[in-house]
C-alpha cells in the first residue's frame, strides 16, 4: 500500500521560506519520478516541481522557477521542496506523488494522494 505523508506547511509572510517534506512508503522509491503539486482554492491542482529517480533532472513550473528547489533522499524515501521568496499566490495545499516521466508540460501522477500540507503566505 502506497503511503504519502506531507509535512512542513504553515503560515509565513511574503518573502519568507518553508521546507516541505514528503515521507513515502510502498513505492519503489529510487526508481520513480516524484513530484510536488499544489491546489489553491477554486483552482485545479497543478504541478510545481518534478525530480527524476536519481535526482539528475528536475522540472519546475514557470511560476516557481528560481524560487523553489526539489530534492530527494533515496536512502530515506523522502522528497523535499524548499520554497524561498514566497508570494501570496503560492498559497495552496501541497501534495507529493509519484509521476510518470515528464513529457512536455504534462506531468501525470501515478500514485494516490496524501492529505497534503497547507501553505499560507500572507501579504
Amino acid at each position: 500500500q502506497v503511503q504519502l505523508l506531507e509535512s512542513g506547511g504553515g503560515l509565513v509572510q511574503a518573502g519568507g521560506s518553508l521546507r516541505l517534506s514528503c515521507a513515502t512508503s510502498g513505492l519503489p522509491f529510487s526508481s520513480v519520478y516524484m513530484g510536488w503539486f499544489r491546489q489553491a482554492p477554486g483552482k485545479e491542482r497543478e504541478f510545481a516541481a518534478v525530480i527524476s529517480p536519481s535526482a539528475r533532472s528536475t522540472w519546475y513550473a514557470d511560476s516557481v522557477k528560481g524560487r523553489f528547489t526539489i530534492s530527494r533522499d533515496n536512502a530515506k524515501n523522502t522528497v523535499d521542496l524548499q520554497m524561498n521568496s514566497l508570494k501570496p499566490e503560492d498559497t495552496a495545499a501541497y501534495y507529493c506523488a509519484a509521476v510518470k516521466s515528464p513529457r512536455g508540460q504534462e506531468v501525470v501522477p501515478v500514485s494516490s494522494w496524501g492529505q497534503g500540507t497547507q501553505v499560507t503566505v500572507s501579504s
Side-chain angles (χ1 to χ4, degrees):
Q1 182 180 6
V2 175
Q3 296 276 314
L4 303 168
L5 180 60
E6 300 93 344
S7 63
L11 174 64
V12 299
Q13 295 186 57
S17 298
L18 283 173
R19 188 176 184 90
L20 308 184
S21 185
C22 173
T24 76
S25 63
L27 287 169
F29 186 80
S30 63
S31 298
V32 299
Y33 290 75
M34 293 295 299
W36 281 96
F37 298 77
R38 64 186 187 178
Q39 187 168 26
K43 299 184 67 177
E44 295 183 352
R45 190 169 299 186
E46 63 181 9
F47 109 92
V50 171
I51 189 166
S52 64
S54 294
R56 294 171 183 168
S57 299
T58 58
W59 295 259
Y60 297 94
D62 288 342
S63 58
V64 310
K65 195 173 299 180
R67 300 186 297 117
F68 290 12
T69 302
I70 188 170
S71 61
R72 67 192 297 159
D73 187 335
N74 286 351
K76 298 179 180 179
N77 293 345
T78 60
V79 57
D80 289 2
L81 187 68
Q82 178 66 46
M83 306 185 297
N84 298 326
S85 301
L86 283 162
K87 304 175 180 179
E89 50 262 47
D90 296 319
T91 295
Y94 284 72
Y95 303 84
C96 64
V99 302
K100 294 182 179 178
S101 178
R103 295 290 184 271
Q105 298 185 56
E106 185 177 22
V107 179
V108 180
V110 297
S111 69
S112 59
W113 301 103
Q115 294 300 303
T117 186
Q118 179 67 37
V119 171
T120 302
V121 184
S122 63
S123 60

